[in-house]
Amino acid sequence: MKLGIFAKTFEGTQPGPVLKAVAGAGFVCAQYNMACSGLASMPDAIDEGQARAIAGAAHKAGIEIAAVSGTYNMIHPDRAVREAGHRRLAVLAERSHAMSTRLITLCTGTRDPYDQWKEHPDNGTPEAWRDLLEAMETAIGIAERYDVDLGIEPELANVINSAHKARRLIDEMQSRRIRIVLDPANLFETATLDEQRTTISAAIDLLADRIVMAHAKDRNPDGSFATAGKGVLDYSHYLGCLKAIGFTGSLITHGLAAKEAEDVSRFLSEKLEAGR
């Protein structure tokens, strides 16, 4: 596996210094965010020079751009908001190859109109599922046009809140463009050690053929998020499950302060080495 980090962990609005900091903390790849180029995370426009500057900076720093973040609320209750997200997704997709990546990460969304990471009671309704299928059809069309893949992540607060729902979406859409970004800390809030191991094992087995990227953060005993290695997540079990399916892709950490980055890089490296 290749160790990486959210580029946005490090301050900066130019790709060169940001990606140099990624390498300096001990990582070999990054999930990029256009904020690191001084733009909105989902810009209305990206020119060719801005895109190529990312690829150039990555090459100079020895960093692989594993993905670019393209998160918007795909089931926002306001259709106009969803359509604006689609337009911006197309902007990212058109420039992805110039950035030296072909994976865009998505947020399957929530009915909450203000926060795309907040759970809403209507997320489980047939209407929310219908809107997700419609949004995914549009997104897949964009992905086909620009030859990119779409990474969706099961998250408790979103409409795709489990591995089973992710599998259902894959089966219903029947598109190889849909890939999975797996974050075990997004599959449970509080759980016994046996419960979390069972949940994580089952998710990885169910989605094994589509997992293209793995995330690495953690949970505190009270269910709040924590930095990888500082919480209750059994990382030996998690990485062992990924190894068992032959996963060799990027393991991307996030949800941490820049000052913690080197420690997390060492922690993950030690876990990977111990599991060889």
Side-chain angles (χ1 to χ4, degrees):
M1 293 179 219
K2 298 171 286 187
L3 286 186
I5 193 169
F6 273 24
K8 199 177 176 182
T9 304
F10 302 97
E11 292 185 2
T13 56
Q14 294 293 326
V18 171
L19 294 174
K20 183 179 179 181
V22 169
F27 298 96
V28 299
C29 58
Q31 182 170 325
Y32 199 76
N33 188 298
M34 296 309 298
C36 300
S37 290
L39 302 174
S41 293
M42 290 287 282
D44 290 313
I46 304 169
D47 66 42
E48 184 77 8
Q50 289 169 320
R52 293 197 178 280
I54 296 166
H59 179 75
K60 185 175 181 180
I63 294 295
E64 175 188 341
I65 303 298
V68 60
S69 296
T71 53
Y72 63 102
N73 192 341
M74 298 186 83
I75 63 161
H76 193 283
D78 186 340
R79 177 176 288 273
V81 174
R82 302 199 300 265
E83 290 175 349
H86 296 330
R87 290 193 297 272
R88 292 170 183 141
L89 175 63
V91 168
L92 275 178
E94 183 179 16
R95 298 301 188 197
S96 288
H97 286 267
M99 296 180 209
S100 72
T101 190
R102 61 186 305 273
L103 178 65
I104 300 175
T105 59
L106 300 182
C107 164
T108 58
T110 174
R111 286 302 203 205
D112 187 280
Y114 307 110
D115 185 348
Q116 67 184 7
W117 310 113
K118 186 176 180 181
E119 190 174 7
H120 192 280
D122 290 343
N123 286 356
T125 62
E127 292 76 18
W129 189 258
R130 176 204 65 205
D131 286 349
L132 177 63
L133 295 184
E134 180 183 294
M136 286 302 307
E137 185 174 1
T138 299
I140 288 167
I142 293 168
E144 291 286 357
R145 190 183 322 149
Y146 295 110
D147 187 27
V148 296
D149 290 334
L150 307 171
I152 65 165
E153 182 175 347
E155 303 192 36
L156 295 178
N158 280 182
V159 63
I160 299 297
N161 61 3
S162 68
H164 288 284
K165 279 196 175 179
R167 188 79 248 176
R168 177 185 170 192
L169 180 68
I170 291 166
D171 292 343
E172 291 192 23
M173 297 307 300
Q174 290 291 303
S175 171
R176 294 299 301 177
R177 295 294 176 182
I178 300 178
R179 302 291 177 170
I180 294 295
V181 177
L182 190 87
D183 188 333
N186 284 341
L187 299 175
F188 70 94
E189 284 187 348
T190 59
T192 67
L193 196 56
D194 284 344
E195 287 170 344
Q196 68 154 276
R197 286 171 176 166
T198 298
T199 297
I200 292 166
S201 297
I204 291 174
D205 287 346
L206 185 63
L207 301 171
D209 63 319
R210 295 298 181 107
I211 298 173
V212 69
M213 177 185 288
H215 277 176
K217 61 176 185 290
D218 218 321
R219 288 276 189 183
N220 289 309
D222 65 0
S224 59
F225 286 121
T227 299
K230 303 287 181 149
V232 300
L233 188 71
D234 184 346
Y235 263 90
S236 295
H237 176 76
Y238 170 44
L239 298 178
C241 288
L242 289 174
K243 181 181 177 183
I245 64 166
F247 178 76
T248 58
S250 300
L251 178 67
I252 307 286
T253 191
H254 65 110
L256 67 157
K259 63 183 180 182
E260 300 176 287
E262 290 186 39
D263 287 343
V264 173
S265 175
R266 282 193 292 270
F267 165 75
L268 294 173
S269 295
E270 289 167 4
K271 286 293 181 182
L272 287 174
E273 187 64 31
R276 292 188 191 281

